[in-house]
Amino acid sequence: MEILINRAILEEGLKDLLDYSEVDVLIAGAGPSGLTAAKYLAEKGFKVVVYERRLSFGGGIGGGGNLIPKIAVQKEVQPILDDFGIRYKKYNEEVFTLDPAELIAKLSAKALDAGAKIILGANVDDVIVRDDPPRVVGVLWHWTAISLSGLHVDPIYTASKALVDATGHDAEIVAVAARKNPELGIDFVGEKSNWTEVAERLVVEHTGKVAEGLYVAGIAVCAVYGLPRMGPIFGGMLMSGKRLAEIIERDLKNASGAKKGKKKAR
């Protein structure tokens, strides 16, 4: 029985890793913006994988506000909440409140139901870059347990048409790409201090492409563009994820159309 269990885990697990070693969209971070984008992109038929360094979903959702088990969103997010089947309570004309556990569970469940693959305990270490034109075409990654152990182990690769940094406050993927590859033309500024209403608006407005093949969503947007943070309100994170899905869908369809046009011209 033990050998049968081993074979099942190894064969099926490695098949998944091989199958998702080339994807349309790779999202680093299973927080609110990453999971939202994953659901909307997978629904459109794109092959989507989410790498999450922890062994759980949700990013900063679980702690609520300072460990108080509620989070807030603005009323504009209601259509997204309805898409995910997330229950909410109207606090006043501007703010709804949500249960953090329900938000985590339903964001992740809907992303999975839509066809996205989520791999837990996977840490993105670096990006793969090509030139002519300069562009990001994938990542190097290893298991988080390897990082925590302090061992030096070389990572392996995943290729992507679109790489999304949804890693949170430090925007770790964009930071690495900017530091190592100046030819990408990324100006990494760093996050400012809190200003909720401004941050919620600007995060959504600045969501999108930072270099060819590389995108940013959620709170990571603040670090890239020097925007203020917003604290325990998550509406901007959800709207950022949805907007990003729309941007990537457009970009990948345009790229596909351009390739078809070149083939016909030949």
Side-chain angles (χ1 to χ4, degrees):
M1 188 64 177
E2 288 83 358
I3 298 303
L4 177 61
I5 292 168
N6 276 1
R7 285 176 176 167
I9 291 171
L10 291 171
E11 288 181 10
E12 296 303 315
L14 291 174
K15 281 180 185 176
D16 278 353
L17 292 180
L18 182 59
D19 187 35
Y20 283 87
S21 63
E22 293 184 74
V23 297
D24 294 319
V25 184
L26 191 157
I27 299 171
S33 61
L35 291 172
T36 302
K39 183 254 192 192
Y40 285 116
L41 284 163
E43 281 182 339
K44 295 293 185 179
F46 295 106
K47 189 174 185 179
V48 179
V49 67
V50 181
Y51 286 171
E52 169 54 51
R53 69 171 54 181
R54 297 188 292 184
L55 298 179
S56 58
F57 313 107
I61 295 172
N66 201 29
L67 296 182
I68 298 169
K70 282 294 174 188
I71 61 172
V73 299
Q74 53 273 60
K75 63 181 180 180
E76 289 82 6
V77 184
Q78 185 175 358
I80 299 176
L81 301 179
D82 291 339
D83 279 348
F84 282 83
I86 297 163
R87 295 172 293 183
Y88 49 87
K89 180 179 179 180
K90 183 178 177 181
Y91 180 73
N92 63 16
E93 293 303 318
E94 295 183 11
V95 173
F96 296 162
T97 58
L98 313 174
D99 178 77
E102 180 176 357
L103 181 59
I104 291 171
K106 290 185 175 177
L107 287 177
S108 53
K110 289 292 186 180
L112 291 165
D113 288 346
K117 181 72 174 177
I118 303 175
I119 299 178
L120 300 175
N123 180 65
V124 175
D125 183 64
D126 201 349
V127 297
I128 305 170
V129 174
R130 296 290 181 267
D131 56 13
D132 195 26
R135 64 198 186 280
V136 175
V137 297
V139 303
L140 288 75
W141 69 276
H142 54 242
W143 300 114
T144 304
I146 292 173
S147 300
L148 294 174
S149 71
L151 293 173
H152 174 75
V153 177
D154 285 325
I156 56 176
Y157 314 104
T158 300
S160 62
K161 297 175 184 175
L163 169 62
V164 178
D165 186 336
T167 61
H169 290 279
D170 295 325
E172 296 173 18
I173 312 305
V174 176
V176 167
R179 184 178 73 252
K180 291 189 174 185
N181 305 279
E183 68 274 17
L184 292 174
I186 301 170
D187 185 16
F188 191 91
V189 180
E191 182 184 81
K192 289 185 177 179
S193 296
N194 203 94
W195 190 353
T196 301
E197 59 270 31
V198 171
E200 284 289 275
R201 172 176 55 84
L202 292 180
V203 160
V204 180
E205 290 179 4
H206 285 75
T207 290
K209 184 188 292 185
V210 295
E212 287 301 318
L214 179 60
Y215 298 78
V216 66
I219 193 68
V221 175
C222 298
V224 175
Y225 293 105
L227 309 180
R229 63 184 295 177
M230 68 286 292
I233 181 167
F234 285 81
M237 303 298 96
L238 303 179
M239 289 188 288
S240 174
K242 188 174 190 297
R243 174 170 165 76
L244 183 72
E246 294 165 353
I247 292 169
I248 291 177
E249 178 188 7
R250 178 200 66 204
D251 288 355
L252 293 185
K253 285 184 176 179
N254 287 344
S256 177
K259 285 182 179 179
K260 289 179 181 177
K262 287 182 180 179
K263 287 182 180 179
K264 288 181 179 179
R266 290 174 186 171

